[in-house]
């Protein structure tokens, strides 16, 4: 298997997290099922994940009236 083989079990931590710092892709197809997942070996994926989480948390706080916009 080469270093970019998405079916290489050594690149999937706990079977669900794709981690390959040598792969330049930020998102890759899931190993099974539909959809995409982040390459957690790429630093940009943590920035994108943080932005997504902050957006969700901010939306919940605004809708609950805790945060005023």
């Amino acid at each position: 298997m080469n270093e970019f083989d998405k079916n290489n079990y050594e690149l999937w931590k706990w079977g669900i997290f794709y981690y390959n710092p040598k792969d330049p892709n930020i998102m890759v197809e899931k190993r099974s099922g539909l959809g995409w997942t982040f390459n957690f070996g790429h630093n940009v994926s943590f920035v994108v994940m943080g932005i997504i989480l902050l957006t969700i948390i901010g939306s919940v706080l605004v809708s609950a009236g805790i945060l005023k916009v």
Side-chain angles (χ1 to χ4, degrees), residues 1-37:
M1 287 187 237
N2 67 29
E3 61 191 23
F4 299 113
D5 185 7
K6 306 299 186 279
N7 293 318
N8 183 348
Y9 293 105
E10 295 175 1
L11 300 176
W12 292 88
K13 306 302 178 193
W14 298 315
I16 56 173
F17 298 108
Y18 181 71
Y19 183 86
N20 186 357
K22 295 179 182 177
D23 189 347
N25 296 318
I26 297 169
M27 295 189 74
V28 296
E29 287 187 65
K30 288 185 178 181
R31 191 171 57 177
S32 62
L34 298 174
W36 294 74
T37 187

Side-chain angles (χ1 to χ4, degrees), residues 35-57:
W36 294 74
T37 187
F38 286 102
N39 175 7
F40 289 99
H42 202 289
N43 291 334
V44 174
S45 65
F46 290 105
V47 173
V48 173
M49 188 74 99
I51 291 170
I52 292 170
L53 289 174
L54 287 174
T55 302
I56 293 169
I57 292 169

Side-chain angles (χ1 to χ4, degrees), residues 57-69:
I57 292 169
S59 298
V60 169
L61 293 175
V62 167
S63 66
I66 298 170
L67 187 64
K68 305 286 184 194
V69 179

